[in-house]
Amino acid sequence: MVSEDPDGKRSSGNMRLTRMPLGRSGRRVSFEKRLRLWLCLPGLLMLVLCWLLLRHHSDVLLQSLVLLGLALGWIFAVSVLMEQIVRPLQTLANVVAALREDDFSFRARGGQRNDAMGDLALEINRLAGMLQGQRASALEAMALVERVMESMKSPVLAFDPEGRLKLLNAAGERAFGLQVRTALGHSAVGLKLEQLLDVADEEVMSLGSGQQSVRWVVKRTSFRLRGVPHTLFVLSDVSAALREEERLAWERLIRVLGHEINNSLTPIKSIAGSLRGRLAALGSAFGERTDFERGLEVIENRSESLNRFLQAYRQLMGLPAPRLAPVSVATLAQRAALLERRVAVTVEGAAEVVVQVDADHIEQALINLVRNAADAALSPDHAGGGDPHVEIVWATVGSEVVIGVVDNGPGLTNAGNLFVPFYTTKPGGTGIGLVLAQQIAQAHRGSVQLANRTDGYTGCRADLRLPLAG
């Protein structure tokens, strides 16, 4: 137990910690010099005693030889003793210095028990072994953490109290378009991540806009690195889960609406047919009969149209699971192009690309995208740019193939409602073409994105992204 004496000196048990002796220059006298002085002092006393005993001897030469021999012998004994004491201490100091530099390869040799110096050497060797094991465990743990961080699909970021980025994994690089070697050390404002610092724990945030918007659940916690508090963020992409919940909500809504509307459509259509059959027997005037027939025709047509509308939505919500098989992108594009006869459709892609997809599903998605592009090219708002036409192109980007459907129509005006069921800007549209294409793409771990052309021409480009085979 360490305590403080009344005179200000600290003591531990019977051991008192005192100041080291100082030389004239104010420096501490080294251990070697103090040891040499203490070893030489008995020799000096021995020489004085011998001189006193021999001073009455008549032979001066003998006196000198005896004193000189004693002095040389004592100096040699002091040197040997200094070597036996200082050299092991220097060796142990070198071992401790190596440990301080994280070099655990040095060991003191010759140590044995029941020996003060040997016990010290053995204990230092054991300390070195323990530190080496702890160092190896720390390195293995750090390697495991780095491997886990790199394999995580969730972005992980850490910021210091000044808002500078200190940690970023591979998923974070992909999610935010950053690179570790250039992003670390920069502020969140400079990296356009200041929104992240203001998000509370378990809060949902959106990054991006429009179709590229991604929703994340943010897990926020604190930790210390070298004594400095840092903030750790772990983001979980919930866009797919929310889209699935949204799809299930639409499915339940359409199921209920379909049931209720069908219950009304069936008797309305039946009654309209019965009235038309009995109309001939009424013998009414020609004008009244014409009005009745026109009214009944409107009822039948609208009932049939509404029935087709509901069947289309049932088809959308009852999409079966894809059956994957290798298929050529060029084959899919050519099939979709042949089915569109209203405008010219050209097919021009890169080298042969094979994808692992359900050919029927992807072909239906391409048909919907080409039909949508043809409708845009044929719209009354067509701004020129030559005859209406559609082009199908594709190229590989990383581990994906991007199939683009390009038109020369007026372009997008309201991109926020493109994939909302029931929403359509066409007089006879049902609003399921793009939604069905998006669901097919997501079932294949892909996506559909629409944007106005950026090559200097008016129109829109729809990109169907699919993972490459294998």
Side-chain angles (χ1 to χ4, degrees), residues 99 104 107 124-135:
L99 297 180
F104 305 102
R107 294 291 187 277
I124 291 180
N125 288 342
R126 291 184 62 183
L127 175 63
M130 183 184 68
L131 293 177
Q132 185 177 14
Q134 292 179 351
R135 177 69 172 177

Side-chain angles (χ1 to χ4, degrees), residues 210-461:
Q211 303 164 50
Q212 287 76 31
S213 177
V214 181
R215 286 173 285 186
W216 307 89
V217 171
V218 181
K219 181 64 178 178
R220 177 174 181 157
T221 186
S222 300
F223 70 99
R224 287 185 174 270
L225 181 62
R226 297 184 179 92
V228 179
H230 287 65
T231 305
L232 180 69
F233 296 90
V234 180
L235 283 68
S236 300
D237 186 1
V238 295
S239 299
L242 292 178
R243 283 195 299 267
E244 180 62 18
E245 288 296 325
E246 184 179 3
R247 186 190 69 82
L248 293 176
W250 280 112
E251 183 178 352
R252 288 191 292 267
L253 175 61
I254 291 171
R255 185 183 299 115
V256 173
L257 289 177
H259 177 73
E260 294 299 328
I261 294 177
N262 272 332
N263 288 342
S264 301
L265 283 180
T266 301
I268 289 175
K269 189 174 180 181
S270 176
I271 292 173
S274 299
L275 291 177
R276 180 182 293 276
R278 295 182 60 185
L279 185 61
L282 293 178
S284 301
F286 178 75
E288 294 179 357
R289 181 172 181 174
T290 302
D291 291 340
F292 271 110
E293 289 181 347
R294 186 182 297 114
L296 293 174
E297 183 179 359
V298 170
I299 293 175
E300 289 180 342
N301 290 339
R302 293 311 303 163
S303 299
E304 185 65 27
S305 176
L306 190 55
N307 184 60
R308 289 196 305 269
F309 181 82
L310 287 176
Q311 295 304 322
Y313 272 103
R314 285 183 173 178
Q315 176 188 0
L316 171 64
M317 295 307 169
L319 187 67
R323 298 180 179 179
L324 305 182
V327 61
S328 168
V329 172
T331 302
L332 295 174
Q334 290 168 359
R335 290 177 184 173
L338 290 176
L339 295 177
E340 181 55 58
R341 297 294 184 178
R342 295 173 295 169
V343 299
V345 181
T346 59
V347 178
E348 182 178 355
E352 181 67 15
V353 179
V354 176
V355 289
Q356 193 84 5
V357 297
D358 188 314
D360 294 337
H361 286 192
I362 299 301
E363 185 177 343
Q364 183 62 54
L366 286 176
I367 290 172
N368 291 353
L369 294 178
V370 171
R371 184 181 302 158
N372 188 72
D375 291 339
L378 293 170
S379 68
D381 299 329
H382 180 69
D387 296 332
H389 69 276
V390 176
E391 184 179 5
I392 303 177
V393 297
W394 65 86
T396 56
V397 179
S399 60
E400 293 181 325
V401 57
V402 181
I403 307 174
V405 179
V406 187
D407 64 68
N408 62 342
L412 299 176
T413 57
N414 188 2
N417 295 323
L418 289 175
F419 300 105
V420 176
F422 299 110
Y423 177 82
T424 180
T425 57
K426 304 172 187 177
T430 59
I432 69 166
L434 292 179
V435 180
L436 179 61
Q438 180 72 288
Q439 287 200 9
I440 291 174
Q442 291 174 356
H444 290 80
R445 295 180 293 109
S447 63
V448 174
Q449 296 177 354
L450 279 77
N452 288 325
R453 296 174 63 173
T454 58
D455 53 1
Y457 296 94
T458 60
C460 172
R461 176 187 174 106

